[in-house]
Amino acid sequence: MIAPSVLAHSWVDCVKYDPNTHQCLGYPRGYKGREDKDINGNASLEYTNLFSGSPASQPMCKSTQQTENYSTIYPMATAQPGETIYTSWQQNGHLNNASPTKVKILYYPSSSQTFSDVSEKDTAMVAGTMDYATDGNCYNPSEPNTVCFNSWTVPTDLVPGQTYHFVWFWYFNFNPAGEWYTTCFDVNVQDASHVAQGGSMDSLLKLGEPPLAYIQGIERNPDAKAEISDVTSLGLSNSNDTPIAHAADSSSLSPVDSSSTEVPTSSALATVPMPTEYSTSDAPVAPVVTDTPATSPVSSSSSVIAVYTSSSAAKCRPRPTSL
């Protein structure tokens, strides 16, 4: 007996999403945007990578995502070790609060190792496990095409200056025979990057759903370009769940309310070194803030905040085709 097929499909729209500002700061491999005319009728050809019937072997990445094929419009994400990343996709009518389907972020700790076969889902490292679509991570649960997002942490053992391969792996488990979907992407790891302020999921959802233009690409979005350029080094313990305020004019640190939605407006940066090791203690670890170099545009009296937070099967409906 052949198990009935359930109509499902999804993919990552934004690898590095800032839910405070509604900006996309990094994209998957081979992304073309939702204004592409093939996004609806030929979604299975353009974006969806389906694994039907729990195959023992099949390419992990779609043929259009087997190289680092980015563009200046849709660039690769940049992040630093220990950074919290928010990744977004659309619900596609698959909201399920009672028994949420799961997404895993798979990776290898070596920049020279990339994914080739789906069998590696059982041997790869896991950077995060998250719900696919619930009331707790989708902006408008009653709308099938609403944006959903969730967070995961860039592993602390990744080396700045190198690029690492990741896979967004969705276990859509309502087909008894097995059904999975993947999106492949890369992260350029650096000592400093733009860090989304974060906050509780409830507070972030209350900021409202982003317009479709949030994924129009970097070159066409001056605000996104400016945000990517506004970088800082965290220098925090990855085990710490409490956001820390970095004061550029002082080595003192103070906790920041994780539900705060205030977004820093200054691009001045604190000179905060990355740690050489990470504590397993629950207590916040205070990094040493060095003096601002004389050549830096940051004055000794300026102050800037950089925040880090650790943190139904239904028929799919047509997606919008224009911004």
Side-chain angles (χ1 to χ4, degrees):
M1 177 179 177
I2 299 176
S5 175
V6 177
L7 180 60
H9 63 274
S10 194
W11 57 84
V12 170
D13 280 308
C14 182
V15 169
K16 184 172 180 177
Y17 171 54
D18 188 335
N20 288 283
T21 62
H22 292 164
Q23 300 295 343
C24 183
L25 310 179
Y27 291 86
R29 290 179 173 185
Y31 192 76
K32 293 184 178 181
R34 288 192 175 274
E35 60 216 38
D36 188 279
K37 63 182 178 60
D38 290 328
I39 196 70
N40 285 331
N42 294 325
S44 61
L45 299 177
E46 290 290 331
Y47 292 92
T48 302
N49 194 31
L50 165 65
F51 300 85
S52 182
S54 304
S57 181
Q58 184 177 320
M60 178 69 91
C61 300
K62 196 169 184 64
S63 59
T64 54
Q65 291 190 333
Q66 292 183 0
T67 62
E68 295 178 9
N69 52 338
Y70 297 91
S71 66
T72 55
I73 297 177
Y74 301 112
M76 180 190 305
T78 296
Q80 57 190 283
E83 181 179 338
T84 295
I85 296 289
Y86 294 90
T87 297
S88 70
W89 53 90
Q90 283 195 357
Q91 184 213 114
N92 279 342
H94 299 296
L95 187 86
N96 192 315
N97 291 309
S99 181
T101 56
K102 297 295 181 179
V103 170
K104 286 187 177 181
I105 303 296
L106 307 178
Y107 79 102
Y108 283 118
S110 170
S111 60
S112 63
Q113 192 168 4
T114 61
F115 288 88
S116 60
D117 193 83
V118 70
S119 59
E120 296 173 72
K121 70 180 177 59
D122 298 320
T123 58
M125 306 290 284
V126 177
T129 300
M130 61 196 79
D131 290 338
Y132 172 78
T134 70
D135 289 352
N137 72 300
C138 298
Y139 284 102
N140 186 1
S142 64
E143 169 54 52
N145 291 318
T146 190
V147 173
C148 303
F149 67 97
N150 227 318
S151 65
W152 55 281
T153 302
V154 178
T156 58
D157 56 352
L158 302 191
V159 179
Q162 299 188 31
T163 297
Y164 294 83
H165 186 194
F166 291 81
V167 176
W168 178 90
F169 200 106
W170 177 31
Y171 293 81
F172 181 77
N173 54 6
F174 285 103
N175 185 340
E179 191 171 336
W180 316 316
Y181 296 84
T182 65
T183 296
C184 292
F185 64 94
D186 307 273
V187 174
N188 177 239
V189 177
Q190 295 292 337
D191 285 319
S193 62
H194 180 82
V195 180
Q197 183 178 357
S200 68
M201 287 297 291
D202 181 62
S203 67
L204 296 175
L205 289 172
K206 287 180 179 178
L207 295 177
E209 185 162 10
L212 190 59
Y214 92 102
I215 45 174
Q216 69 180 342
I218 300 300
E219 287 299 316
R220 292 176 287 188
N221 189 340
D223 290 337
K225 290 182 70 173
E227 190 166 333
I228 288 176
S229 300
D230 186 11
V231 302
T232 190
S233 296
L234 289 175
L236 297 178
S237 163
N238 188 48
S239 65
N240 176 33
D241 290 334
T242 304
I244 299 295
H246 290 196
D249 61 345
S250 172
S251 60
S252 63
L253 301 174
S254 60
V256 176
D257 180 5
S258 62
S259 63
S260 171
T261 59
E262 182 179 354
V263 179
T265 57
S266 172
S267 61
L269 305 179
T271 307
V272 184
M274 292 297 292
T276 56
E277 60 181 348
Y278 293 83
S279 169
T280 58
S281 169
D282 291 333
V285 176
V288 177
V289 180
T290 61
D291 293 335
T292 304
T295 56
S296 169
V298 182
S299 69
S300 61
S301 60
S302 65
S303 180
V304 56
I305 303 299
V307 182
Y308 165 78
T309 57
S310 58
S311 13
S312 144
K315 183 173 293 187
C316 297
R317 302 190 185 180
R319 295 171 171 233
T321 58
S322 63
L323 296 177

